[in-house]
Amino acid sequence: MKAAVLIFPLILATLAQSSGNMPNVMNQLNIETIGKKLKDVIGADIKKNRELLQELLDIHKNETAQIYKYIDESIEKLSKETFLTMSEFKNNTEDNLHNMDNTMKENLQN
């Protein structure tokens, strides 16, 4: 839309400059000139938009990678803590069962 707003006055000015001697030839040349200028402006806009899209894609990829890295680190940390807690619980349970067994044996002997 921006390109069209910028080009429209150019089109009007170019058409106004055409001579009345050979209108078909002059209009054809003006149309070709206008077409080339339109192609240049629109091509530049397309290139700019493509570059912006590529930048957005790169940002998205980087942010996604950071999010996955954070998730992986969080899972690893929680897993370590969970396994340590479970190991402690198991060891404490085994110790308590062993102590209970000894205490019961002592009580039964007395």
Side-chain angles (χ1 to χ4, degrees):
M1 182 64 178
K2 185 165 70 170
V5 171
L6 295 174
I7 299 280
F8 187 69
L10 177 67
I11 294 171
L12 291 177
T14 307
L15 289 175
Q17 291 176 356
S18 66
S19 169
N21 295 337
M22 296 194 298
N24 289 339
V25 173
M26 291 305 290
N27 284 336
Q28 182 65 32
L29 292 175
N30 287 335
I31 289 172
E32 287 176 7
T33 303
I34 292 169
K36 288 177 186 176
K37 289 180 181 179
L38 278 171
K39 182 180 175 184
D40 292 343
V41 170
I42 293 172
D45 282 348
I46 290 172
K47 183 179 178 184
K48 180 180 175 185
N49 288 336
R50 183 180 294 153
E51 290 170 356
L52 288 173
L53 285 172
Q54 186 62 47
E55 286 179 30
L56 288 173
L57 180 63
D58 292 342
I59 290 170
H60 174 72
K61 285 180 183 177
N62 290 338
E63 287 181 357
T64 302
Q66 288 176 352
I67 289 170
Y68 282 128
K69 181 181 176 187
Y70 173 77
I71 290 171
D72 289 342
E73 289 172 353
S74 297
I75 290 172
E76 182 181 355
K77 181 180 177 185
L78 287 173
S79 296
K80 284 181 182 178
E81 290 176 6
T82 302
F83 286 121
L84 285 174
T85 303
M86 290 174 65
S87 178
E88 254 183 66
F89 185 72
K90 178 184 173 244
N91 292 339
N92 288 341
T93 302
E94 288 176 354
D95 289 344
N96 286 336
L97 286 173
H98 181 69
N99 288 338
M100 284 176 60
D101 187 41
N102 287 340
T103 305
M104 287 180 77
K105 283 181 184 176
E106 286 177 11
N107 286 338
L108 290 174
Q109 288 176 357
N110 291 332

